[in-house]
């Protein structure tokens, strides 16, 4: 995949993370580790990294559908 196409894929993922993170504002359960409140954008990125073994920017293009699925799961099931 060319650089321009790769940048487009990353832009799509970033936009989707922003959208999902915005929808999760104030919906994540409280945590004693985050007394000021949890960051939904960081939560989504953390889950991608935990489940797929790397940042969405470092994963191969073939993982794009799985990354989008993880974002959807995070958005629809705040935890």
């Amino acid at each position: 995949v060319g650089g321009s196409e790769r940048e487009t894929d990353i832009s799509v993922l970033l936009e989707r993370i922003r959208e999902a993170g915005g929808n999760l504002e104030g919906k994540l359960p409280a945590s004693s580790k985050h007394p000021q409140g949890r960051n939904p954008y960081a939560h989504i990125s953390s889950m991608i990294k935990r489940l797929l073994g790397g940042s969405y920017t470092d994963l191969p293009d073939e993982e794009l559908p799985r990354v989008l699925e993880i974002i959807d799961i995070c958005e629809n099931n705040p935890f």
Side-chain angles (χ1 to χ4, degrees):
V1 176
S4 177
E5 191 173 331
R6 175 82 177 145
E7 290 171 15
T8 300
D9 288 348
I10 290 173
S11 293
V12 166
L13 290 175
L14 184 55
E15 181 57 36
R16 184 66 188 101
I17 289 170
R18 286 181 182 147
E19 177 185 14
N23 291 335
L24 283 174
E25 287 283 351
K27 294 181 182 175
L28 292 174
S31 168
S32 60
K33 295 181 182 180
H34 306 283
Q36 301 298 320
R38 293 174 64 195
N39 178 333
Y41 308 96
H43 172 69
I44 293 170
S45 294
S46 172
M47 292 309 302
I48 293 168
K49 192 170 189 174
R50 182 180 301 159
L51 294 171
L52 298 180
S55 166
Y56 67 92
T57 59
D58 297 330
L59 294 169
D61 296 331
E62 301 80 45
E63 294 290 355
L64 178 66
R66 290 183 67 200
V67 173
L68 290 170
E69 181 180 6
I70 290 168
I71 295 169
D72 289 343
I73 291 169
C74 289
E75 181 179 23
N76 294 319
N77 303 284
F79 57 93

